Amino acid sequence: MVASESSLSACVADFVDYLAFEKGASPHTVSNYRRDLERFIADLGSNTAIGDVTSRQIDTHLAGLANGRVTGKSLARSSIARARSSIKSLFRFAIDEDLIKSDPTVSIEKARSGSSLPKALRIDQVGDLLAAARSHSGAIGLRDTALLELLYGTGARISEIIALSADDLELEGDFPHVRLFGKGRKERIVPLGRYAIAAIDLYLRNGRPELAAKGEGAHALFLNKRGRPLSRQSAWEIISTVASEADIEQDVSPHTLRHSFATHLLEGGASIRDVQELLGHASVNTTQIYTKVSISTLREVHAATHPRALG
């Protein structure tokens, strides 16, 4: 998909879905983003192509929020800062999804809310999460375990996972892998580890046939209890429920597992270029956020363990 084929309004709709069902943002946060971006759409026009938006248009929109042109009254500085942040997040999403090649917000003054680093789970928390999924009985338990093992084991977006069919999996041979398809059906191959292979194989043999018998022969790999393709919202609810059962206090979403996948790879010695390829990022700049997470972790380890840093 090229940029000109994606309208601003369509990109905003996808972004809001991503916030709600992949990143697991709160309803209040999603509502704020939606309101800010709907104003942006109304100002620029719903048929504007996402790739045609310029930094000048963004500056003009933000100025319009300040002088009352956009809403009929001048907004507070905090509201304008939030709108700026919403727009920047939208274009970072568009870059990550390969909808645009350059970000028009790079020259826009940053909101003073500070940088936001991904909140990855600790490795032991991932273990607790997967143990909680395995405690679920029957076909649903096999599905939930396979879903979480595949998300954490590949770092895939939830939209990529729920679009999978069994034909996209290769569980045998010298190179077990999954074919993932991003925006515009851009394909990438991601290796599968033995835990993911075992969980998927068990689900395919003993779980999915039972679920598929209740539906209409859906081709999707992951099915709901009625035999229909699993939705992003249902996947988010599964992960949220399992996290609660595992006594994990922080919010856990499909995107948390993607963050954890990348962070744990880098902490284990993977190169940033390899992680970029596995995540399907169009630009290494998007992947570099995880280097900050790893550096933060190293700082904590150094402070806690080095004899000249203790205390």
Side-chain angles (χ1 to χ4, degrees):
M1 179 182 291
V2 296
S4 61
E5 293 175 341
S6 182
S7 68
L8 179 60
S9 56
C11 188
V12 167
D14 286 345
F15 175 58
V16 170
D17 279 350
Y18 154 80
L19 289 174
F21 304 133
E22 295 191 37
K23 198 170 184 181
S26 71
H28 177 71
T29 298
V30 173
S31 177
N32 283 339
Y33 273 99
R34 181 184 288 111
R35 180 167 56 250
D36 290 337
L37 294 173
E38 283 177 349
R39 285 173 178 157
F40 188 49
I41 292 171
D43 196 16
L44 270 66
S46 59
N47 293 326
T48 301
I50 185 72
D52 292 341
V53 177
T54 67
S55 58
R56 181 181 293 275
Q57 286 176 304
I58 298 171
D59 278 330
T60 300
H61 172 72
L62 295 173
L65 295 176
N67 63 28
R69 177 184 61 80
V70 174
T71 64
K73 63 178 182 179
S74 299
L75 298 187
R77 287 187 178 181
S78 58
S79 296
I80 297 170
R82 192 192 65 209
R84 182 189 296 112
S85 178
S86 297
I87 293 168
K88 289 179 73 69
S89 296
L90 171 69
F91 282 95
R92 282 196 297 270
F93 170 80
I95 285 281
D96 190 24
E97 295 296 296
D98 205 21
L99 295 175
I100 56 176
K101 298 301 181 185
S102 60
D103 184 353
T105 70
V106 292
S107 62
I108 306 299
E109 181 186 356
K110 290 185 177 180
R112 298 196 300 171
S113 56
S115 60
S116 173
L117 293 178
K119 294 181 179 178
L121 296 174
R122 301 189 309 271
I123 294 176
D124 64 291
Q125 288 179 310
V126 174
D128 292 342
L129 190 74
L130 293 167
R134 287 194 297 271
S135 71
H136 294 182
S137 61
I140 294 297
L142 295 177
R143 180 205 63 191
D144 294 352
T145 302
L147 175 68
L148 267 67
E149 286 282 9
L150 195 54
L151 280 167
Y152 175 63
T154 64
R157 304 173 181 92
I158 191 60
S159 56
E160 296 169 340
I161 292 295
I162 64 173
L164 288 175
S165 71
D167 292 338
D168 297 319
L169 297 166
E170 178 54 67
L171 302 182
E172 301 177 350
D174 296 333
F175 180 50
H177 63 268
V178 59
R179 291 187 303 154
L180 298 171
F181 297 89
K183 285 286 186 178
R185 299 291 291 174
K186 184 177 180 182
E187 179 181 339
R188 70 184 186 279
I189 303 295
V190 178
L192 291 173
R194 61 188 179 94
Y195 289 101
I197 293 170
I200 295 166
D201 182 61
L202 201 56
Y203 167 63
L204 287 174
R205 287 189 288 109
N206 300 331
R208 191 182 181 282
E210 179 181 328
L211 297 175
K214 301 175 182 179
E216 300 176 354
H219 293 294
L221 174 62
F222 290 107
L223 304 175
N224 62 24
K225 62 183 179 181
R226 294 183 297 278
R228 298 171 183 169
L230 195 69
S231 68
R232 283 193 290 188
Q233 183 170 4
S234 294
W236 183 87
E237 290 171 351
I238 290 167
I239 295 167
S240 180
T241 298
V242 172
S244 177
E245 293 170 352
D247 294 325
I248 298 174
E249 294 183 359
Q250 76 181 74
D251 290 335
V252 180
S253 70
H255 217 69
T256 307
L257 295 178
R258 181 167 163 85
H259 287 325
S260 303
F261 167 84
T263 302
H264 297 164
L265 279 176
L266 287 168
E267 290 175 349
S271 75
I272 191 169
R273 290 290 183 180
D274 289 338
V275 175
Q276 176 195 0
E277 188 72 21
L278 291 168
L279 291 176
H281 284 160
S283 169
V284 74
N285 292 334
T286 309
T287 317
Q288 283 176 338
I289 183 70
Y290 297 104
T291 64
K292 298 179 182 178
V293 177
S294 297
I295 290 170
S296 176
T297 300
L298 289 174
R299 186 184 301 118
E300 293 174 5
V301 170
H302 180 272
T305 60
H306 193 278
R308 291 294 187 182
L310 293 172

